[in-house]
């Protein structure tokens, strides 16, 4: 693996050697580090997805949203693979801060370690193990060593299996290792049953899946259910009045956190029962008694006769909902569906469709090796006899388990194969109106049972809301930056003796218009360069920026001196009655005399790189910000500009970053200018903004204007 990308393995690359390789390795590791649950993932063939191969210690349903995990997903196992390191999460608070999607679905106290399964430059998968929150906040050196050695050993065996050409696939899930051994010699089974039968309160034993393995007579009496109907069934499945996700959540909380949990439930018509769950790594013991002072608990009665969403459905909804809250633009929504939603439901490709002007628009797609396959639907009329258009206009989902089903209803698809074998077309309806269609494609024929169709349809509602927000954001974003671009010069004039280059980068956070500006104005025998920053990120700031830029041009054209240009612009801002301020640097360039006159109004100082490579910060005298004092004066300074010298004018967004001292940032900018100042000016401009241009979170706009003096 290089640059954070895991290498792929062929479908028949891994092999168990002499038995269930993954299960045995996971069981041994959990026993060594005293973990109470864990899972092993394998890298899927031909796609950047981790697939759960075996789980131990907890029901797989607990990890349902993460049975298939995209490598780009913000989840511990994916991060462990991307960064080729151990990922440690020491409890509920840290999980919520670093991996909120996991915390939303599993809001319980537990610690987790995730590690990659890798050899040399090849990654085969990952694993994680968990502990109750009683685990110390840090892994011990012994635990780290054992985790590392176990993963290296398993990766080596997987590499050996690659050489043999044997496949490795999913293996049966395991109960917690050593559970039976832990019970040996404690109490005879017959005596335990007789003891429990004599107790006046109810006792039940549940396995890891919540199934009843034992119930004493008092428990059967309190629950109103014969023992034969209880054994082998889940409590909430056997008793309608316990069929409430809140009660099931207590069972999950007890198993994951290994803490005692309790709840109170109403057995119709009026008997309140108290349930106290005592967990261990191999199941739970439940104590049942009549509840007291129930009214003080204000426990609402479960509603009967309503269908209750099962655990897997709730988990998927919570996971996707948490992911979609992070989506900003349409492409964010597409990427989240591809990395979070599609892998979970087993889809290999997707297309997100919208509409404009009565025609389909392809908003994004993933998973198709040839982009033309997905983009051929762009521009199709909404009246076209294709499922994407029909689902969007009708609002009714469509599921096709095979190509034959699809082509039977839509014969035109015979002429446009996409290499897929099954499809789910989900209408995206927000605020009562259709906003698009989500097309999930499957490489193999795929059955869509009723419960899966219900899940897909429910989740499409969340996607629709996120898409509606994203479409609105993108529209406003394009409008804002279109206006911003219109207020800046489209090109820089060609000046005798002066070479110029400029860059403008909008902020990456928010969609407001910025107030940064620059300009280069040619006059007879001279030139004027200006750069500035109006306070704020809104239409008012942008409008004022346009007025300042126009005013500076006008004052320059009529021949005002640099200090007078600043005074006139300052007076204009005060006359406009605005509450905003602006910083500015104004230069009058005289290439023939190799001289520059500068006036500065509270703006970061320009940098001057001399022909010998030395860089000077022009922190010269100036005046206050524009728009503060009507009587302000602006001192001017004249300095030499020898041929080969470079002037760098910039706004504060280039040197201001959270947590970085501005003096250090300015010094770093000067070093880059010194090292690369002899490069062509456009390349130099790109180099100076490159570290900021690639930042995911840029809080402020950036304007940069470079000027190089040439020999006449």
């Amino acid at each position: 693996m290089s640059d954070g990308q895991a290498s792929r393995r062929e479908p028949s690359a891994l092999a168990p050697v002499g038995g269930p390789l993954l299960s045995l390795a996971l069981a041994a590791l959990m026993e060594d580090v005293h973990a109470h649950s864990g899972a092993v993932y394998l890298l899927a063939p031909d796609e950047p997805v981790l697939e759960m191969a075996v789980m131990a210690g907890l029901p797989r349903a607990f990890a349902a949203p993460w049975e298939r995990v995209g490598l780009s997903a913000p989840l511990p196992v994916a991060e462990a693979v991307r960064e080729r390191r151990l990922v440690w999460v020491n409890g509920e608070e840290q999980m919520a801060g670093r991996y909120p999607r996991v915390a939303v679905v599993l809001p319980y106290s537990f610690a987790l370690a995730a590690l990659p399964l890798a050899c040399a430059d090849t990654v085969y998968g990952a694993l994680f193990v968990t502990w109750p929150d009683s685990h110390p906040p840090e892994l011990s050196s012994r635990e780290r060593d054992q985790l590392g050695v176990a993963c290296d050993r398993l990766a080596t065996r997987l590499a050996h299996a690659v050489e043999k050409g044997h496949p490795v696939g999913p293996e049966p899930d395991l109960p917690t290792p050593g559970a039976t051994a832990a019970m040996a010699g404690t109490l005879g089974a017959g005596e335990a049953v007789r003891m429990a039968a004599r107790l006046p309160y109810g006792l039940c034993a549940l396995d890891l899946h919540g199934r009843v393995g034992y119930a004493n007579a008092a428990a059967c009496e309190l629950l109103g259910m014969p023992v034969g109907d209880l054994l082998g069934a889940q409590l909430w499945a056997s008793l309608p009045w316990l069929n409430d996700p809140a009660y099931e959540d207590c069972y999950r909380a007890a198993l994951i956190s290994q803490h005692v949990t309790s709840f109170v439930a109403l057995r119709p018509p009026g008997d309140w029962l108290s349930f106290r769950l005592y967990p261990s790594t191999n199941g739970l013991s439940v104590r049942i008694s009549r509840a007291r002072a129930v009214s003080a608990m204000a426990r609402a009665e479960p509603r009967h006769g309503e269908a209750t969403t099962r655990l897997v459905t709730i988990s998927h909804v919570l996971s996707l909902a948490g992911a979609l809250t992070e989506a900003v633009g349409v492409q964010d929504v597409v990427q989240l569906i591809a990395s979070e939603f599609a892998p979970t439901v087993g889809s290999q490709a997707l297309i997100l469709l919208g509409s404009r002007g009565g025609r389909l628009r392809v908003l994004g797609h993933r998973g198709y090796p040839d982009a033309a396959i997905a983009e051929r639907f762009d521009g199709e009329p909404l009246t076209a006899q294709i499922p994407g258009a029909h689902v969007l206009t009708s609002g009714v989902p469509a599921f096709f388990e095979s190509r034959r089903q699809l082509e039977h209803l839509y014969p035109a698809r015979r002429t446009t194969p996409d290499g897929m074998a099954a499809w789910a077309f989900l209408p995206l309806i927000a605020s009562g109106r259709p906003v698009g269609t989500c097309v999930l494609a499957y490489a193999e024929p795929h059955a869509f049972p009723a419960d899966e169709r219900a899940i897909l349809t429910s989740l499409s509602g969340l996607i629709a809301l996120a898409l509606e927000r994203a479409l609105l954001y993108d529209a406003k974003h394009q409008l804002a930056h279109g206006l911003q671009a219109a207020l800046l010069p489209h090109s820089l004039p060609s000046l005798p003796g002066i070479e110029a280059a400029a860059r403008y980068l909008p902020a990456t956070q928010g969609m407001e218009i910025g107030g940064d500006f620059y300009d280069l104005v040619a006059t007879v025998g001279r030139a004027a360069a200006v750069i500035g920053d109006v306070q704020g990120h809104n239409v008012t700031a942008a409008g004022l920026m346009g007025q300042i830029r126009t005013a500076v041009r006008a004052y320059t054209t009529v021949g005002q001196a640099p200090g007078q240009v600043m005074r006139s612009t300052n007076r204009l801002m005060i006359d406009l009655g605005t509450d905003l301020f602006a910083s500015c640097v104004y230069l009058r360039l005289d290439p023939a005399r190799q001289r520059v006159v500068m006036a500065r109004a509270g703006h970061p100082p320009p940098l001057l790189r001399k022909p010998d490579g030395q860089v000077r910060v022009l922190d010269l005298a100036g005046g206050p910000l524009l728009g503060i004092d009507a009587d302000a004066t602006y001192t001017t300074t004249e300095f030499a500009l020898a041929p080969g010298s470079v002037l760098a004018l910039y706004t504060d967004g280039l040197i201001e970053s959270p947590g970085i001292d501005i003096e250090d940032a300015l010094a770093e900018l000067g070093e880059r200018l010194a090292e690369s100042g002899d490069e062509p000016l456009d390349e130099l401009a790109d180099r100076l903004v490159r570290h900021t241009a690639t930042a995911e979170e840029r809080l402020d706009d950036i304007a940069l204007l470079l000027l190089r003096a040439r020999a006449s």
Side-chain angles (χ1 to χ4, degrees), residues 645-664:
S645 298
V646 177
L647 271 169
L649 286 70
Y650 54 91
T651 56
D652 54 9
L654 186 62
I655 58 173
E656 289 186 355
S657 298
I660 299 178
D661 184 81
I662 193 168
E663 296 295 334
D664 294 340

Side-chain angles (χ1 to χ4, degrees), residues 349 351 367-370 373-374 376-377 403 406-407 413-423 425 439-442:
I351 305 174
Y368 290 97
D370 183 359
I373 293 176
R376 69 175 182 264
F377 298 110
R403 174 170 292 279
L406 179 65
E407 293 176 350
R413 283 299 298 265
R414 294 193 182 96
T415 62
T416 57
D418 60 6
M420 296 296 166
W423 299 264
F425 290 82
V439 184
L440 299 174
Y442 299 76

Side-chain angles (χ1 to χ4, degrees), residues 14-29 40 42 53-56 154 157-158 161 167-175 177:
L14 305 178
V17 180
L21 171 63
L22 305 178
S23 303
L24 293 176
L26 179 61
L29 172 59
V40 176
L42 295 178
V54 63
M55 187 164 185
L154 179 55
R157 298 201 62 188
L158 293 175
V168 149
E171 297 176 4
D173 291 344
L174 298 172

Side-chain angles (χ1 to χ4, degrees), residues 259-284:
H259 287 175
V260 176
T261 62
S262 61
F263 63 89
V264 177
L266 174 65
R267 174 194 164 188
D271 293 330
W272 287 94
L273 300 180
S274 172
F275 293 79
R276 194 163 182 82
L277 285 65
Y278 298 87
S280 72
T281 55
N282 62 331
L284 302 99

Side-chain angles (χ1 to χ4, degrees), residues 11 47 54 74 92 230 286 349 433 443 457 469 495 511 588 620 628 645-646 657 676 685 694:
E47 56 180 332
V54 63
E92 184 177 9
L230 286 175
V286 183
R433 64 181 186 87
T457 304
R469 292 195 311 270
L495 303 175
M511 58 186 175
R588 188 180 68 191
L620 305 175
I628 294 179
S645 298
V646 177
S657 298
S676 308
T694 56

